Amino acid sequence: MNGLSNQEVLEKRRQHGSNAMELQEERVLLNVLKEIVMEPMFILLLIACVIYFITGSYQEGIIMLISIFLVAGISIFQEYRSRNAVQALKKLSQSHVKVIRNGIEEEILIEDLVVDDIMLIEEGEIISADAVILTARDFSINESILTGESFAVYKSADADIYRGTLVTSGNATAKVNAVGTKTMFGKIGLAVKEVIVVKTPLQKQIKAFVRNMVWIGAVAFAIVITVNYIQTKDILHSLMHGLTLAMSILPEEIPVAFSTFLALGAFRLLKNKIIVKQPQYVETLGAATVICADKTGTLTENKMSIAHLFDAASDTSFNVYDIKLPEELVEFAMWSSETEPFDPMEQAIHKLYASITATDKRVEYEQVHEYPIGGIPPIMTHIFQGKNGSYIIAAKGAPERILKQSDLSIDRKKQLEEQALSYARQGFRVLGVGKGIWEGSEWPAVQDEFKFEFLGLVAFQDPPKKNIDLTIKTFNEAGISVKMITGDYAETAVAIAKQIGLNHNGDVITGAEVLKMEPLELQTRAKAVNVYARMFPEAKLKVIDALKEAGEVVAMTGDGVNDAPALKAAHIGIAMGQRGSEVAKGAASLILMDDDLAHMTDAVALGRKIYDNLKKAIQYIVSIHIPIILIVMLPLVLGWAFAEIFTPVHVIFLELIMGPTCSIIYENEPMEPGTMNRPPRIMSSTFLSFRQLLTSIIQGLFITTGCLGIGYWAMKDGQTDTLIRTLVFITLLFSNIFLTLVNRSFYYSFFTTLRYKNNLVLLIIGVTLLFIVGILTIPGLQNLFRLEPLSWHLLAISVSVAFVSTCWIEIAKAVKRMRQ
């Protein structure tokens, strides 16, 4: 089979379309523009602009119009960057399919499939398009997503297969006959159903906070308009004053900052070879308290090599390097493996068979039936037919399961089980090998009906991954418990746990014990025990659910089809990118591209850093919004002779400073020392504690006192309205600079954070200082903001007041450090 040529692929795509399931491409720019136009801040700016033009204030109206474009531009830039980052992540996490094109086997994205492509399909895959089978080998499919029938259906040549169904056993080649929305999957509408992503507690808290601020703004807006109209009898003037206050209250920076932080955080994880499917999982990473790790390939290298063989016939244990090895045991271990093995254990078996056999029998026999791995504990059975008509029935799997189906005496079974345990205690993974016996005319429905002659044991060694002990230590120091979940013997699991430095105290729970436990008992035991052996899908899922019920935030690693339920159930499902099945990748929320668990420590660190920096950004927003609100409102309420200190022009400029500060500076802040040496945060805890919120409010009130204090002093001194406004505005601008610097940490001093690497701090502060110089020296800007130049003496007073109003927190931080 040569498959399609490149030219034929293009022609088929032109004729029949692509295999993409979306009806149309998501138009990112259009959606962003639509959301911006509906934002409350945009609407307020538009109203203010209209009022300025109605009242003949054309200069201010033009500035507001420019401001509209600036605010929209910043929002478009941030949203577009965030959405493009998310879309890039989605493309990276897309599934692949093997095809034959130009006579060569290659791997392509599922959406690149076209009609008449030749697909190569294996166990554990999800069918990528509707097709007809060309060749099949013990090929069965679960079609429950289309039919509701949970049992697998065997498929042979010329049978139809459909997109979205799951391959449960065997392999096949198939020719595509429908793609995209023309598949059965697409026609019944399953393709266009979006996955409902449950909002995290943090998302809900931020949404509630912004909503409450909007309601506060609405009430304050009504109060200010009413009071101002009573005093001036001018509805447009009152409306303008109310709009100024409403603009100062709306914290539109918060949702923008939140989405930017998470989207860019997910994109940053790509540097650590982690694909994050949805940005909100980045925030959840920082709260993880438990990581349930599969042993093989996650904690160990998954580089299986045979260490020992035990021949039941001679009751002898062989080292793999011995000159004479039990040939029948090795041969039947090979027959019970896949003919084209991809599992490292089966590859090792085939390699050993090829090295010891004088006559390779693989060319003489053809596989005619297969019983896929299954049961508790699991085994698998293959049946081959020779050219002479003879049959070979071979099975391998859990030794106790094969012994159970043998005719050996109870004492002999115990001897052989003890030999298997002896290997397991040394950290080897042990498989039993059986020779099947069947005299019926038809093969049994299930492999449990076979009788087996127990041939012996194969012991594999799989060394721990390099530096896995350091990875586990890092997790433990961060307050994250690592739990090993494996299908191996308890003795094997304990031996590996010792080698990798996993805390266990010899305490192990098996899958059978898990199923017997009551929910409350399992919750207690699951938190305390770190080693789980002889586990199977139902038991894994029950452990994950128990840990979640016990209040843990659970991450789970997996790679197989059977891991999918547990990956889906965990707060953070982590699939292996290299050896993971498409089902596992589809169920997971993260994909480790190189299967290296060590990257998860970096991911957890990034999750914690993002949470901390987002908290700093929101505390900054709260602190700086308070003086803006009160400077607009208090002079009016207190009946000052000069009450209109700020206009919409001043407020919108401050918004243009605050947006980049919280979204750019704080997002780029490095992780603070000690972040990975503290316990995980409680997932359901309030985002800003009462003390943190109070700190931000006090910061805002101090700045308000400084700004209005210097304004009141100037007013009592008989200064002009313009000078009063200038002093207040400049003092607030310098307060914003100092606040940005001191809020980079609420523990370490200003002098420590100055050494943090963040070039954007200097950029934003430099731009602000240049603007201050401009509005104090350029007549056009002075007229626009209704300001006037300040003497060096008044400028020094303004800077000093701003410094005192913000930098007092350095004393509080010093006291906090001394107490700890």
Side-chain angles (χ1 to χ4, degrees):
M1 279 183 281
N2 290 324
L4 298 176
S5 66
N6 292 338
Q7 186 60 40
E8 288 173 327
V9 168
L10 295 175
E11 181 61 24
K12 295 292 182 182
R13 186 170 292 125
R14 187 189 66 79
Q15 290 178 3
H16 305 285
S18 73
N19 198 35
M21 299 305 292
E22 293 81 7
L23 295 177
Q24 60 183 14
E25 294 261 339
E26 183 185 1
R27 292 175 288 183
V28 176
L29 183 58
L30 188 63
N31 288 337
V32 171
L33 284 172
K34 182 180 177 182
E35 289 183 9
I36 289 170
V37 170
M38 298 304 293
E39 283 290 325
M41 178 60 74
F42 186 91
I43 295 170
L44 291 177
L45 284 171
L46 199 59
I47 294 171
C49 182
V50 171
I51 292 174
Y52 271 131
F53 280 114
I54 290 174
T55 57
S57 302
Y58 298 115
Q59 187 180 31
E60 287 83 351
I62 291 171
I63 292 301
M64 293 306 293
L65 197 59
I66 294 172
S67 299
I68 288 173
F69 287 109
L70 283 174
V71 170
I74 291 172
S75 298
I76 287 172
F77 172 72
Q78 290 175 327
E79 282 290 323
Y80 198 69
R81 185 171 64 156
S82 299
R83 294 195 183 203
N84 276 337
V86 173
Q87 284 197 333
L89 290 168
K90 284 182 179 179
K91 287 181 179 179
L92 284 171
S93 63
Q94 283 179 328
S95 299
H96 292 74
V97 60
K98 289 180 181 178
V99 296
I100 296 176
R101 285 182 179 175
N102 302 303
I104 302 171
E105 180 182 317
E106 59 180 284
E107 196 172 78
I108 63 171
L109 287 173
I110 283 178
E111 66 178 24
D112 291 337
L113 270 176
V114 297
V115 171
D116 290 340
D117 256 328
I118 305 298
M119 294 190 294
L120 305 177
I121 310 167
E122 296 177 343
E123 178 182 328
E125 291 184 11
I126 295 175
I127 303 298
S128 305
D130 290 1
V132 60
I133 295 176
L134 301 178
T135 63
R137 178 174 292 171
D138 289 313
F139 192 62
S140 61
I141 291 180
N142 185 315
E143 297 180 332
S144 59
I145 194 169
L146 296 175
T147 65
E149 177 57 60
S150 59
F151 295 103
V153 178
Y154 280 94
K155 297 280 186 176
S156 57
D158 298 326
D160 291 321
I161 55 176
Y162 303 101
R163 178 168 185 157
T165 55
L166 169 65
V167 182
T168 56
S169 69
N171 55 65
T173 59
K175 189 174 185 179
V176 176
N177 56 25
V179 294
T181 54
K182 296 174 185 175
T183 61
M184 183 71 71
F185 190 74
K187 286 177 181 177
I188 64 176
L190 292 175
V192 294
K193 286 184 179 178
E194 289 291 330
V195 175
I196 298 174
V197 179
V198 178
K199 290 187 180 296
T200 65
L202 177 57
Q203 286 175 301
K204 294 175 182 176
Q205 289 173 27
I206 287 179
K207 184 177 180 180
F209 180 80
V210 173
R211 185 177 61 246
N212 292 338
M213 290 294 286
V214 170
W215 280 111
I216 292 170
V219 173
F221 176 73
I223 292 172
V224 168
I225 286 180
T226 303
V227 173
N228 199 277
Y229 182 71
I230 291 172
Q231 292 178 353
T232 65
K233 306 300 180 182
D234 186 339
I235 186 61
L236 288 178
H237 182 273
S238 302
L239 185 59
M240 186 63 75
H241 211 104
L243 287 171
T244 305
L245 180 63
M247 288 166 57
S248 67
I249 291 176
L250 280 179
E252 83 288 342
E253 307 96 335
I254 293 178
V256 173
F258 182 70
S259 60
T260 301
F261 274 47
L262 296 189
L264 294 182
F267 203 67
R268 288 180 195 276
L269 281 176
L270 283 177
K271 296 178 181 178
N272 291 321
K273 299 184 178 180
I274 298 174
I275 297 173
V276 183
K277 290 187 177 179
Q278 294 289 341
Q280 72 270 14
Y281 294 126
V282 177
E283 176 247 318
T284 309
L285 276 169
T289 60
V290 171
I291 289 185
C292 297
D294 181 35
K295 176 183 75 71
T296 305
T298 303
L299 302 176
T300 60
E301 292 282 0
N302 197 29
K303 294 179 180 177
M304 293 288 185
S305 60
I306 298 173
H308 297 282
L309 298 165
F310 179 80
D311 181 40
S314 62
D315 209 20
T316 304
S317 178
F318 295 86
N319 186 292
V320 72
Y321 298 110
D322 289 343
I323 297 174
K324 184 67 175 175
L325 295 176
E327 293 185 10
E328 187 179 32
L329 172 62
V330 175
E331 180 184 332
F332 272 79
M334 180 275 296
W335 291 127
S336 64
S337 302
E338 297 293 339
T339 53
E340 296 180 3
F342 54 86
D343 180 84
M345 287 192 299
E346 295 188 340
Q347 290 173 345
I349 290 171
H350 272 266
K351 183 178 179 181
L352 181 61
Y353 171 77
S355 69
I356 69 169
T357 185
T359 304
D360 192 340
K361 297 180 181 178
R362 288 176 292 188
V363 296
E364 300 175 11
Y365 285 81
E366 181 181 359
Q367 184 174 310
V368 293
H369 199 59
E370 176 184 28
Y371 297 90
I373 187 167
I376 302 174
I379 62 170
M380 63 188 298
T381 305
H382 288 169
I383 302 174
F384 290 82
Q385 184 176 20
K387 294 178 179 178
N388 59 3
S390 62
Y391 288 95
I392 292 175
I393 304 172
K396 73 173 186 302
E400 62 267 39
R401 176 91 178 276
I402 294 179
L403 284 169
K404 182 181 178 181
Q405 293 178 229
S406 71
D407 288 329
L408 298 173
S409 67
I410 294 176
D411 289 341
R412 180 56 176 161
K413 287 179 181 179
K414 286 183 178 179
Q415 290 175 359
L416 293 169
E417 286 177 356
E418 183 55 40
Q419 178 61 50
L421 290 174
S422 174
Y423 283 148
R425 292 187 191 102
Q426 300 173 60
F428 298 124
R429 186 170 187 179
V430 187
L431 292 180
V433 178
K435 181 178 182 179
I437 303 168
W438 186 254
E439 297 178 353
S441 58
E442 294 183 0
W443 302 119
V446 292
Q447 57 191 327
D448 302 69
E449 297 182 37
F450 284 110
K451 285 293 183 182
F452 293 120
E453 176 189 343
F454 190 82
L455 298 181
L457 304 167
V458 183
F460 298 85
Q461 58 185 359
D462 182 15
K465 282 191 173 180
K466 293 179 181 178
N467 299 322
I468 191 65
D469 53 342
L470 181 61
T471 300
I472 292 173
K473 182 181 177 183
T474 302
F475 280 129
N476 290 335
E477 288 175 349
I480 301 171
S481 174
V482 180
K483 299 182 184 296
M484 177 199 296
I485 297 183
T486 178
D488 287 341
Y489 276 113
E491 288 78 5
T492 303
V494 169
I496 295 297
K498 290 178 181 177
Q499 294 177 34
I500 64 177
L502 181 66
N503 298 327
H504 60 87
N505 297 322
D507 200 357
V508 185
I509 299 179
T510 65
E513 291 171 338
V514 166
L515 291 188
K516 292 177 183 177
M517 287 185 189
E518 294 297 321
L520 290 178
E521 179 190 5
L522 182 58
Q523 287 177 31
T524 303
R525 292 279 288 149
K527 289 189 71 170
V529 176
N530 289 337
V531 178
Y532 298 81
R534 278 295 189 249
M535 294 292 282
F536 39 88
E538 297 90 339
K540 287 182 184 180
L541 184 59
K542 194 172 179 181
V543 168
I544 296 299
D545 288 338
L547 288 168
K548 288 167 66 178
E549 288 295 323
E552 303 287 351
V553 178
V554 185
M556 166 80 190
T557 71
D559 57 9
V561 174
N562 291 334
D563 291 325
L567 290 172
K568 196 87 173 176
H571 293 103
I572 309 163
I574 307 165
M576 301 295 116
Q578 292 183 346
R579 60 188 175 86
S581 67
E582 293 299 334
V583 179
K585 292 176 186 176
S589 45
L590 274 69
I591 299 173
L592 283 177
M593 295 167 67
D594 62 354
D595 297 4
D596 189 353
L597 188 65
H599 293 313
M600 284 304 299
T601 60
D602 299 323
V604 170
L606 181 64
R608 292 187 178 188
K609 185 191 87 165
I610 286 174
Y611 185 82
D612 289 346
N613 288 347
L614 185 60
K615 185 179 288 190
K616 292 174 191 175
I618 294 179
Q619 285 188 264
Y620 159 82
I621 292 168
V622 172
S623 297
I624 200 63
H625 265 273
I626 288 173
I628 300 173
I629 295 167
L630 295 180
I631 290 170
V632 173
M633 192 171 183
L634 281 183
L636 178 67
V637 174
L638 296 176
W640 280 21
F642 175 52
E644 194 179 344
I645 297 177
F646 285 171
T647 66
V649 172
H650 299 93
V651 173
I652 193 56
F653 171 74
L654 291 167
E655 295 285 346
L656 291 173
I657 293 177
M658 292 187 298
T661 298
C662 67
S663 293
I664 297 176
I665 286 183
Y666 287 113
E667 192 278 329
N668 202 50
E669 282 287 87
M671 184 173 69
E672 290 197 58
T675 299
M676 286 295 283
N677 296 109
R678 67 175 190 238
R681 64 180 173 83
I682 300 172
M683 188 82 166
S684 58
S685 62
T686 304
F687 178 60
L688 289 181
S689 67
F690 175 76
R691 177 176 292 182
Q692 291 165 338
L693 186 58
L694 184 62
T695 299
S696 296
I697 292 172
I698 293 172
Q699 282 184 299
L701 292 176
F702 263 85
I703 295 172
T704 303
T705 302
C707 293
L708 288 181
I710 197 170
Y712 187 77
W713 167 75
M715 187 172 63
K716 287 297 182 181
D717 196 42
Q719 300 295 334
T720 64
D721 294 351
T722 305
L723 183 63
I724 294 170
R725 179 184 290 114
T726 304
L727 280 171
V728 172
F729 192 53
I730 296 301
T731 302
L732 182 58
L733 289 176
F734 276 110
S735 296
N736 181 69
I737 291 174
F738 292 131
L739 181 71
T740 301
L741 294 173
V742 298
N743 277 22
R744 294 180 72 189
S745 175
F746 286 92
Y747 180 81
Y748 294 102
S749 73
F750 162 80
F751 298 103
T752 300
T753 57
L754 271 181
R755 295 195 293 271
Y756 287 179
K757 186 179 179 181
N758 188 348
N759 296 330
L760 295 176
V761 174
L762 293 176
L763 175 64
I764 298 297
I765 291 176
V767 170
T768 306
L769 289 173
L770 283 174
F771 178 78
I772 291 174
V773 172
I775 60 176
L776 291 178
T777 58
I778 300 173
L781 287 176
Q782 290 174 9
N783 293 334
L784 174 63
F785 286 92
R786 302 179 189 176
L787 305 179
E788 66 179 60
L790 290 178
S791 66
W792 287 107
H793 171 68
L794 289 176
L795 184 61
I797 292 175
S798 177
V799 173
S800 299
V801 170
F803 181 83
V804 173
S805 300
T806 52
C807 293
W808 59 268
I809 199 170
E810 289 297 322
I811 300 173
K813 288 194 283 187
V815 172
K816 184 179 181 180
R817 290 194 299 272
M818 286 189 291
R819 288 178 176 175
Q820 293 183 350

